[in-house]
Amino acid sequence: SLLDSLLQEIRLKTCRMIPARSLYLGSSTNARKCASLAFVPKHRETRDEDIERLSEFLSKKKNILLITGAGISTESGIPDYRSEGVGLYATSTKRPTQHKVFMERPMARQSYWARNFIGWPRWSSFEPNESHRTLAKWEDTGKISQLVTQNVDQLHYKAGSRNVVELHGTNSIVKCMSCCYYLPRMQFQRHLEEANPTMIPRVADIRPDGDVELTEQEVRHFKVPSCPKCGGILKPFVVFFGDNVPRPRVEQVRRKVNESDSLLVIGSSLHVFSAFRFINQAVENKIPIGIINIGP
């Protein structure tokens, strides 16, 4: 069954269930070794009783609002920010580009697009994993009222999900910040290639936002096209750190929370307020909450 499929996947992770209060569940260390687990932190296997509690939680719900975070995509090969030992913050001193810095500094935009240009071929080739595919099946059966993702990787769409709110936007679109012009990121890659014929994409360690690390020398001569319509700044259709999720998007999710009979979070530490606000709303509405995640 679809429930069994997700539960089988969850057996590989640590599970926490939160009815209205926090309750930690854990067990022995899991030492599985696999290439697809390169960005999955060390964790303890879930006990049978945890699976039973999750099964009971899900079986009684017919209108689930689901929130997914970076943890759901690590087994597809995409690192996250905060995982112990393997996330960006644990393995690099580099930090994501801030919205204000991107908009105000031409050199920051040059650096961002050079790094993103190199990373794009690999980033765009990532495929959904079993968790993404199972949630797409759940959508087909009507068990999920709304899928909200903090991720910008489009893997839910690749898996077949259609009713998705991309809370932080998507890397698949590039938009002008001054006018209505936009284009697919894949098309923009061609423009970057034409502007930088000597810059050749290569295999490199990818970062959570789809870029790679480059030297100053590699970035220095990179050319970034401006908007062909108005000459404005071109930026991924993504909510950068330091920016806000558009209000209509937030209100759309708030309405869905009010209509749901439960809220399930998969693969998110909920460190950022953009998603945590919906947890607060669910608590106020006395809606049962379940969280499946490795770590706190």
Side-chain angles (χ1 to χ4, degrees), residues 216-234:
E216 290 185 12
Q217 180 66 28
E218 290 174 302
V219 169
R220 185 174 301 147
H221 302 295
F222 192 80
K223 295 179 175 61
V224 181
S226 298
C227 173
K229 187 173 180 180
C230 74
I233 296 171
L234 293 176

Side-chain angles (χ1 to χ4, degrees), residues 30-273:
N30 186 336
R32 293 183 305 138
K33 300 290 184 181
C34 179
S36 65
L37 301 179
F39 298 114
V40 178
K42 292 180 180 179
H43 56 284
R44 293 171 290 180
E45 290 185 355
T46 306
R47 297 172 297 190
D48 288 342
E49 62 193 78
D50 301 334
I51 300 297
E52 292 172 3
R53 292 175 65 186
L54 178 61
S55 178
E56 180 180 0
F57 176 86
L58 295 174
S59 64
K60 297 178 180 179
K61 308 300 183 295
K62 298 180 180 179
N63 195 23
I64 302 171
L65 185 136
L66 233 157
I67 297 177
T68 65
I72 199 172
S73 295
T74 53
E75 291 190 35
S76 291
I78 301 176
D80 63 11
Y81 291 106
R82 296 178 175 85
S83 284
E84 183 178 356
V86 294
L88 176 68
Y89 295 164
T91 59
S92 173
T93 58
K94 303 293 184 181
R95 292 297 179 263
T97 302
Q98 296 284 320
H99 177 82
K100 179 179 176 64
V101 173
F102 183 91
M103 295 301 298
E104 294 182 353
R105 301 181 188 175
M107 289 184 65
R109 296 195 292 275
Q110 181 187 44
S111 175
Y112 175 86
W113 280 119
R115 293 181 284 108
N116 195 268
F117 171 73
I118 296 297
W120 177 256
R122 186 178 177 196
W123 173 269
S124 60
S125 69
F126 286 122
E127 294 294 331
N129 59 52
E130 186 61 30
S131 295
H132 297 102
R133 291 189 288 269
T134 297
L135 296 184
K137 293 175 183 176
W138 277 27
E139 181 182 298
D140 288 341
T141 65
K143 192 173 187 67
I144 297 175
S145 64
Q146 181 70 67
L147 175 56
V148 180
T149 185
Q150 297 171 270
N151 303 335
V152 299
D153 53 32
Q154 292 245 300
L155 292 187
H156 284 299
Y157 280 114
K158 287 184 178 181
S161 294
R162 291 295 174 263
N163 187 24
V164 182
V165 173
E166 294 174 307
L167 199 60
H168 297 153
T170 174
N171 265 339
S172 66
I173 296 173
V174 176
K175 187 180 184 303
C176 177
M177 300 302 289
S178 300
C179 73
C180 60
Y181 177 80
Y182 68 93
L183 75 165
R185 176 62 183 81
M186 191 69 75
Q187 184 179 340
F188 190 60
Q189 185 76 357
R190 304 288 85 81
H191 295 332
L192 292 175
E193 289 173 354
E194 292 169 2
N196 302 276
T198 62
M199 189 81 156
I200 301 174
R202 63 180 187 275
V203 176
D205 290 337
I206 205 78
R207 302 203 304 193
D209 44 6
D211 62 0
V212 301
E213 291 193 22
L214 296 178
T215 65
E216 290 185 12
Q217 180 66 28
E218 290 174 302
V219 169
R220 185 174 301 147
H221 302 295
F222 192 80
K223 295 179 175 61
V224 181
S226 298
C227 173
K229 187 173 180 180
C230 74
I233 296 171
L234 293 176
K235 176 182 172 292
F237 190 53
V238 169
V239 178
F240 278 13
F241 282 75
D243 194 9
N244 297 314
V245 177
R247 182 174 294 275
R249 205 177 297 167
V250 173
E251 293 305 317
Q252 178 185 358
V253 178
R254 284 197 181 281
R255 289 193 296 271
K256 285 296 184 179
V257 172
N258 288 334
E259 297 169 3
S260 300
D261 60 12
S262 58
L263 192 154
L264 179 63
V265 181
I266 300 179
S268 176
S269 64
L270 297 170
H271 269 69
V272 295
F273 182 71

